[in-house]
Amino acid sequence: MSAPLDLPAVVRELPAELRQTFELRVERWWPDLRSGLAGVYREDEAGVLESRLLRLAARAYTERNPELRRLDEARTLEPDWFQSPRMLGYAAYADRFAGTLAGIAERLDYLRELGVTYLHLMPLLQPRPGDSDGGYAVADYRSVRGDLGSMADLRALAKQLRSAGISLVLDLVLNHVAREHRWAVAAREGDRRYRDYFHWFADRQLPDEYERTLPEVFPDFAPGTFTWDDSLEAWVWTTFNEFQWDLNWSNPAVFAEFADLVLFLANAGVEVLRLDAIAFLWKRLGTNCQNQPEVHALTQALRAVVRIACPAVVLKAEAIVAPDDLVHYLGKGRHRGKVSDLAYHNTLMVQVWSMLATRDVLLATRTLQRLPAIPPTTAWITYLRCHDDIGWAIDDADAGSVGLSGPAHRAFLSDFYTGAFPGSLSRGLVFQANPATGDRRVSGMTFSLAGLAAASTEEDQRRAVARIVLAHAIVLGWGGVPVLWMGDEIALPDDPDWAGEPGHEDDNRWSHRPRMDWERAAQRHDVATVPGTVYAALRHLAAVRSTLPHFHASVAPQVLDPSDPGVLAVLRQHPEGDLLALYNVTESARTWPGGRTLDLGFERISDTLSGASLEVRADSDLVVGAYTALWLVAR
Ligand code: GLC
Ligand code: GLC
């Protein structure tokens, strides 16, 4: 197949080899780009847009520095780099972790010691002044928040991280911009071109119609989905806060702007872009305006542009949605393997907490068994919690299949994790109670959710630590990129003063976004302390994992039917041999039948976590200790 278009002048002027690489990439990715755009725009719009995108990609390619170009080639040869069992993610706010971007460079040893290969720095591009939803209301995507450093510092940091084997991950907030962003300012000043970057309505007719089927993201502090703007003289679409204006992705100019921004950040050295709130990109009357098919077509086209100009970069979908919608973000049907390379496994996250609360694995087993396999070229981001609240994304039918009521189970989890359920030692906070749906999401560090905050005896404390380690074993044992949220590696408590910070008082997600406690971190090698015990255990899990090919993300985990309702069993079949992971989510010893182990083809096994060799006999059971994880392989 020949190049579909005349190459832009900037590329024609390049040395023959560089030109050829670009040509080959265009040939390879053009069909994906075309069919993506065709899924969204009119033919004439798509035609104009595709030539514009080709010019943008060509310019970014010619400007890309030699080191990054080399990375492009290396990753083209090793496209599964992000699926490796060696991957370990860490997510932090630059300021809360290390003060400034330069401060992060000084903490590289800490990250390296932990084994981190992927660092997600929470929003650090220039936000609006005042409350900015933790930086998710961006006023300028081409500059860095002043107190953190400059664009030059960001480039330098990306380079330092790269030489330490750590990929820099940044947010791309593409559903909305701050009301103060220059596009929104121009729109408010009456510039027609920029008004069309947004969704606005002169009267309440359409907003009212949309709201009939729109759920609320922040019912507490930002009720409703539309905000009246005096200078626009219109209702503007604001899914999140009033100061976050949703962009109109049906306008091809918005696509071109973001393609350009992606290329700009890629050339600054960003290696993974987190597509923030991507589920919300496309609006359709009569729906909940999430997970619309156009979202996937848009992602496919965006990825094709990235693959042409800077294939070292991968895309990560932040779609915290129901199990049935989730797999689409890694590509289903005609988008299979053509959209994001990574996506958050919020179903797993929710099920881990649910198993710990109920001491029962049946719901998790059914739910995870039912999830379709992901394309073998993609990977989950697995995590126990993040900077956001936990929403109980549990499907009513899944709950029903194990005799639970969806609403009742979700209510139980909210009660349990906020300490309202009798006997619960969890101390999370209710986030955004929604009387209309009965939903109560939960905030809190692992420290308080897993029971450390309320532990009054040594036994409570020991159990809480065991729960934290077990939960991480499941997260690290799933395959994909496990991401630790800053502080969890040393069981950092919640920030008791979160509400005292101006602009944060109504948003208790700040309770689990504390500042790093470096004194506590200094205890990490002392296993007589809680931080030391947790740190050593997580470090061990990551180190063992990194040596086991079974954890490559292309290996699909198979959740087996439980023999004991307290033991989750996950089989990973790998050409070099299988791995059986057993997780006891209860506080008493449980068993796994020897006969089933033999049936799975294991005879002499060892547990890679403890190093113990185990004999398997048909007539005796394997004992799985309280809150214990076993990663078993054939000896
Ligand atoms: C994402 C972020 C969340 C933010 C929202 C709006 O979900 O993770 O913190 O509030 O997007 O940008
Ligand atoms: C995003 C997430 C949602 C979260 C919200 C704010 O919309 O999808 O789960 O609750 O941001 O925290």
Side-chain angles (χ1 to χ4, degrees), residues 303-614:
R303 177 176 185 262
V305 174
V306 170
R307 287 293 199 267
I308 291 171
C310 45
V313 172
V314 297
L315 302 181
K316 171 175 66 152
E318 189 252 345
I320 310 304
V321 298
D324 285 332
D325 297 313
L326 193 54
V327 179
H328 289 271
Y329 288 87
L330 294 174
K332 246 185 120 176
R334 65 198 160 92
H335 298 300
R336 184 174 168 82
K338 295 184 174 180
V339 287
S340 289
D341 307 280
L342 297 162
Y344 287 87
H345 203 333
N346 79 304
T347 299
L348 181 67
M349 183 268 291
V350 163
Q351 292 300 333
V352 171
W353 290 113
S354 171
M355 285 187 284
L356 288 178
T358 57
R359 281 85 161 162
D360 189 295
V361 305
L362 204 53
L363 174 62
T365 300
R366 289 287 170 265
T367 304
L368 293 164
Q369 282 177 336
R370 208 175 59 79
L371 270 194
I374 61 174
T377 50
T378 62
W380 288 118
I381 296 289
T382 61
Y383 64 119
L384 188 55
R385 47 164 289 275
C386 68
H387 69 291
D388 282 330
D389 47 285
I390 299 176
W392 304 115
I394 287 172
D395 184 82
D396 286 344
D398 286 338
S401 76
V402 298
L404 294 173
S405 131
H409 187 55
R410 292 191 291 269
F412 159 73
L413 290 171
S414 299
D415 286 342
F416 187 90
Y417 282 107
T418 56
F421 190 79
S424 161
L425 288 186
S426 294
R427 291 294 179 266
L429 302 172
V430 173
F431 178 74
Q432 307 288 320
N434 187 340
T437 59
D439 282 344
R440 280 171 299 144
R441 282 134 66 188
V442 170
S443 289
M445 293 291 283
T446 298
F447 180 87
S448 43
L449 299 182
L452 269 176
S456 56
T457 64
E458 253 175 51
E459 178 59 13
D460 287 348
Q461 199 178 60
R462 218 185 36 73
R463 280 195 182 148
V465 167
R467 271 194 286 272
I468 293 177
V469 176
L470 176 74
H472 280 100
I474 302 175
V475 165
L476 271 89
W478 193 257
V481 185
V483 177
L484 303 177
W485 243 266
M486 189 207 83
D488 275 352
E489 74 280 17
I490 51 165
L492 189 64
D494 294 60
D495 180 353
D497 303 321
W498 63 269
E501 286 184 52
H504 295 175
E505 46 284 282
D506 293 332
D507 186 348
N508 64 26
R509 289 177 298 171
W510 289 99
S511 68
H512 57 246
R513 301 169 178 175
R515 289 181 178 68
M516 187 58 168
D517 179 344
W518 290 104
E519 276 174 36
R520 194 172 173 92
Q523 296 173 18
R524 69 187 182 278
H525 300 134
D526 180 355
V527 291
T529 63
V530 166
T533 315
V534 170
Y535 183 86
L538 300 196
R539 182 69 208 93
H540 179 65
L541 285 169
V544 172
R545 175 185 202 267
S546 71
T547 64
L548 294 169
H550 316 80
F551 289 120
H552 190 282
S554 65
V555 178
Q558 302 167 46
V559 182
L560 307 179
D561 285 338
S563 287
D564 178 311
V567 180
L568 180 74
V570 186
L571 181 68
R572 306 182 69 84
Q573 292 186 295
H574 188 273
E576 290 178 42
D578 299 348
L579 184 146
L580 176 64
L582 298 176
Y583 305 102
N584 177 352
V585 301
T586 78
E587 57 259 287
S588 57
R590 298 295 176 97
T591 58
W592 173 262
R596 283 190 77 182
T597 324
L598 288 174
D599 290 346
L600 292 171
F602 294 95
E603 280 173 9
R604 287 141 45 89
I605 49 177
S606 62
D607 172 26
T608 56
L609 286 172
S610 66
S613 298
L614 307 168

Side-chain angles (χ1 to χ4, degrees), residues 16-36:
E17 275 173 24
L18 283 179
R19 197 175 61 221
Q20 176 179 300
T21 300
F22 189 81
E23 273 171 14
L24 288 171
R25 290 191 199 156
V26 172
E27 282 180 26
R28 165 65 183 85
W29 298 108
W30 202 252
D32 279 15
L33 178 68
R34 276 240 158 115
S35 68

Side-chain angles (χ1 to χ4, degrees), residues 68 97 161 163 211 225 241 253 284 295 319 343 363 370 424 505 618:
L68 292 173
F97 179 62
L161 288 168
S163 5
E211 277 187 349
T225 297
N241 291 288
R284 173 168 283 116
V295 170
L363 174 62
R370 208 175 59 79
S424 161
E505 46 284 282

Side-chain angles (χ1 to χ4, degrees), residues 93 122-123 132-137 171 173 175-176 217-218 240-241 244 274 276-278 280 318 320 386-389 507 509 513:
Y93 290 90
M122 304 293 297
S132 64
D133 189 20
Y136 285 104
D171 287 271
V173 184
N175 177 66
H176 43 264
V217 179
F218 294 140
F240 294 88
N241 291 288
Q244 288 163 301
R274 173 186 179 277
D276 178 68
I278 184 165
F280 298 85
E318 189 252 345
I320 310 304
C386 68
H387 69 291
D388 282 330
D389 47 285
D507 186 348
R509 289 177 298 171
R513 301 169 178 175

